Amino acid sequence: MSIRVAHFEKGVSMLANSLLTRICSSYRRIMLIGFTTIALLTVNIANAGPVDWLINTVMPGSSQTVISDISPDRKFMVRIKGQIKLSDDLDDVLGIGSRAIIEETRAGTTRRIVFLPNANGGVNGGVKRSYYVNARATPFDAEGKRWLAEMLKTLVRESAFESETRVKNLYAKGGAEAVIAEIEQINSGFGRGKYIEELLKISAIDDKQFERLMKTAKPKDSSFERRQQLVSLMGKRALTSAQQVVVLNAVAQMDSAFEQRGVLNALTPSLSQEPAVAVAWLAVVGKMDSDFEVQSIIEEVMRAPIARGYVDAALQASLGLRGNFERANALKVILKNLPNPTDSQLTAFLNIVEKIDGDFERQNVLIELINKTSLDKRGYAAVLKAINGMHADFEIRNVLVTLAKKMPADSELVARYRKAARNLSDHERGQAEKALDHLNL
C-alpha cells in the first residue's frame, strides 16, 4: 500500500469563511492546512472533560504531514515527509520518500520510531529504522513490531489514508459486514465518514446495518465530523421516516448551526411529511442560534417538492428568527407555497409580520401577501391590523394603496382602511384615499 500524504481532505475550503468566525468560542479545534485549503473544524469541549483532537498539517509547497491524537491518557503523533509505503497487512513500513516519525506516550512510556530511506533511496528502496523507548535506542524486537503494527493500523483508520482501497479490500474479504466492523473501531469521525462514503459507493446497506453505523458516532465528535458521517450515511438512499427521525435527533445534538444546515439540506430532497419527522425537523431548527442558517433552511425546504407539507413547520420555525431581514425573507419564500392560507396559517403568518419592526421590511412582506394570496374579508382586516405597528407614512401608504386594489367594496373594511390612513401626511393620505375611488362607495 502506497500512501501519498500531500493532503488530508478535499472540498472543505467552503467551510473556512463560516468557521473562522467561530475561532474565539470555547471549542476544541481541529485544523487542516493544505496547499490550497484551510478549514477549522470545531469539537465541543467541557472544562473538566477529556481533551483530544486530530491535527493534520500539510505545509504549503511541501508534502509534510503531521497527525496528532491527544487525550488525557495518551499522546500519539506521526510526522511524514514524502510518500510512505505500507505492507498489505498494515503492520510495517516498506518504503519512505524522505522521513517518517511515529511516537506514542502511554502509561508513562514513550515509544518512538524513525524511518529513513535506505541507501537506494525512494519509496521502493526499503527503509532504515531507529527505535527508541523513553529516549533510549532499543532493538526493534517483537514488542516493538507489535506496537508499530498497532500504530500503523491506528494511523490508517483514523486518518482514512487510502480509504477507497482499504474499504474495497475489506469488502472483498467479508462484504459490508467486514467494513462496518472496521468502522466500529474507528475513533475519528472524519475517518468513519470517509469509510462510510466509500462503502456506500460499492454496496447498499440494510436497516440493521444503517442503525449500527448510526451508533458509531461518539460524544467527542466535532459537529463537522458528525455532519460528514451523517451525510455520507444518507448518501443517495431513501431513508424511512423512522430513520429520518433518528438522523434529525442526531443533528439536534450538534452544536454548530452551519453543520446542522449541511445535514438538513442533504436530507431535504427526501424529507418525509410524516408528523414525527416534521416535529423532529422543527426541534432541530428551533435549537439553532443563527438567523442566517435558519432562514437558509426554511428557503431550502420551501423550494423542495415537499414544500406545501412543511408550510406550518416553516411558519413555526420563522417565529424564532430575530432579524428583520431574515424574518422578511423567510416569510416571502413561504408565501410562494401559501396561495390559499387557512385562518390559522394567516394568523401565524401575520403574528410573525408584526414582529418585524422595520417598516421597509414589513411593507414588502405585506405587499407580497396581498398580491400573492387569496384573502377574504377577515384576511384583509388582519392585514390592516398588521399596519398598525408601522410608523413611516410612505410605507404605510404603499401597503394601503396595494390593499385598495384588491379588497372588496365592503363598508366596514373601508372604514378600517380610512382609520389606518387618518394620521398620514396630507399627501400620503390623499394617495391612499384616491386608491379607494374604484370601489364607488
Side-chain angles (χ1 to χ4, degrees):
M1 174 180 289
S2 179
I3 298 173
R4 178 176 295 279
V5 292
H7 70 279
F8 188 76
E9 168 64 344
K10 298 177 181 177
V12 294
S13 59
M14 64 180 182
L15 304 180
N17 290 338
S18 176
L19 294 175
L20 283 169
T21 63
R22 297 166 169 79
I23 194 168
C24 295
S25 58
S26 58
Y27 292 132
R28 214 164 26 180
R29 296 285 180 242
I30 298 176
M31 180 177 288
L32 292 85
I33 306 177
F35 184 71
T36 58
T37 301
I38 298 177
L40 294 179
L41 316 176
T42 59
V43 184
N44 190 26
I45 179 170
N47 290 335
V51 180
D52 61 341
W53 60 86
L54 181 66
I55 301 177
N56 179 65
T57 304
V58 183
M59 302 304 295
S62 75
S63 57
Q64 180 167 318
T65 295
V66 178
I67 300 173
S68 299
D69 187 4
I70 304 172
S71 62
D73 56 358
R74 179 175 181 263
K75 179 180 178 182
F76 171 63
M77 180 173 288
V78 179
R79 298 181 182 90
I80 306 171
K81 187 172 183 180
Q83 290 180 275
I84 185 170
K85 184 176 181 180
L86 306 182
S87 64
D88 290 340
D89 292 333
L90 306 179
D91 59 359
D92 198 7
V93 174
L94 303 182
I96 186 72
S98 179
R99 180 182 60 195
I101 301 172
I102 300 174
E103 183 175 304
E104 182 199 39
T105 300
R106 180 167 51 182
T109 299
T110 298
R111 300 178 187 274
R112 186 171 188 258
I113 189 166
V114 180
F115 296 94
L116 295 172
N118 266 337
N120 296 333
V123 73
N124 295 313
V127 296
K128 294 187 293 185
R129 298 176 179 83
S130 300
Y131 178 56
Y132 305 87
V133 177
N134 293 330
R136 298 183 64 178
T138 303
F140 190 54
D141 55 12
E143 176 61 21
K145 292 177 181 178
R146 182 205 61 76
W147 170 79
L148 175 61
E150 179 186 347
M151 295 303 99
L152 291 176
K153 284 183 172 63
T154 298
L155 169 64
V156 170
R157 281 176 180 153
E158 306 303 331
S159 66
F161 280 150
E162 291 201 350
S163 56
E164 180 179 1
T165 301
R166 177 80 173 135
V167 168
K168 286 180 178 177
N169 289 342
L170 288 167
Y171 188 82
K173 294 177 181 178
E177 287 294 316
V179 181
I180 293 171
E182 182 76 3
I183 292 170
E184 288 172 332
Q185 299 182 63
I186 299 176
N187 289 314
S188 159
F190 169 81
R192 290 193 303 274
K194 293 298 291 182
Y195 272 62
I196 291 170
E197 181 181 332
E198 296 301 333
L199 170 60
L200 294 181
K201 287 179 182 177
I202 59 177
S203 174
I205 57 175
D206 60 31
D207 290 347
K208 289 185 178 180
Q209 291 170 334
F210 175 88
E211 291 170 7
R212 281 178 64 188
L213 290 172
M214 280 295 301
K215 292 177 181 177
T216 61
K218 301 183 184 302
K220 71 176 185 177
D221 288 348
S222 70
S223 290
F224 171 82
E225 290 173 323
R226 286 176 181 265
R227 176 190 63 79
Q228 186 179 52
Q229 179 167 345
L230 289 170
V231 171
S232 296
L233 186 52
M234 287 187 288
K236 296 182 179 179
R237 64 183 275 123
L239 303 184
T240 66
S241 296
Q243 289 172 341
Q244 290 189 18
V245 170
V246 172
V247 169
L248 288 166
N249 288 342
V251 177
Q253 302 305 311
M254 295 164 60
D255 54 23
S256 165
F258 176 82
E259 306 297 356
Q260 287 173 315
R261 176 166 69 93
V263 182
L264 292 181
N265 284 352
L267 183 60
T268 294
S270 58
L271 197 60
S272 168
Q273 297 185 51
E274 289 290 326
V277 177
V279 168
W281 179 89
L282 192 57
V284 175
V285 178
K287 181 190 176 215
M288 295 170 67
D289 59 2
S290 166
D291 277 4
F292 172 78
E293 307 296 355
V294 172
Q295 174 204 325
S296 299
I297 290 166
I298 292 171
E299 290 179 348
E300 190 77 17
V301 168
M302 288 295 97
R303 295 189 185 105
I306 44 80
R308 294 288 174 90
Y310 268 75
V311 166
D312 290 340
L315 284 169
Q316 290 184 61
S318 300
L319 277 170
L321 294 169
R322 298 173 294 274
N324 291 329
F325 178 80
E326 288 80 10
R327 283 176 182 154
N329 283 349
L331 290 176
K332 283 189 281 188
V333 76
I334 290 172
L335 274 177
K336 295 178 180 179
N337 296 285
L338 201 61
N340 297 291
T342 64
D343 288 345
S344 62
Q345 288 173 333
L346 183 61
T347 298
F349 186 93
L350 289 172
N351 281 343
I352 304 167
V353 171
E354 290 176 8
K355 292 178 180 292
I356 299 175
D357 54 21
D359 284 355
F360 177 76
E361 287 86 0
R362 191 185 293 201
Q363 162 208 266
N364 288 343
V365 175
L366 288 175
I367 288 175
E368 287 271 315
L369 174 65
I370 295 164
N371 286 332
K372 295 193 175 177
T373 61
S374 177
L375 300 175
D376 57 15
K377 178 180 175 178
R378 283 189 297 178
Y380 288 117
V383 172
L384 286 167
K385 178 178 177 292
I387 293 174
N388 290 338
M390 297 173 64
H391 305 286
D393 288 3
F394 178 77
E395 279 79 13
I396 294 173
R397 185 261 289 175
N398 285 344
V399 178
L400 289 173
V401 169
T402 304
L403 189 64
K405 294 176 182 177
K406 303 272 288 188
M407 74 182 198
D410 180 274
S411 58
E412 185 179 350
L413 278 178
V414 171
R416 292 188 180 190
Y417 178 101
R418 284 180 166 146
K419 183 179 180 181
R422 188 172 300 156
N423 295 322
L424 299 179
S425 67
D426 289 347
H427 174 73
E428 306 297 355
R429 182 177 182 182
Q431 292 294 312
E433 287 287 346
K434 184 178 179 181
L436 292 174
D437 288 348
H438 75 98
L439 297 178
N440 296 319
L441 289 175

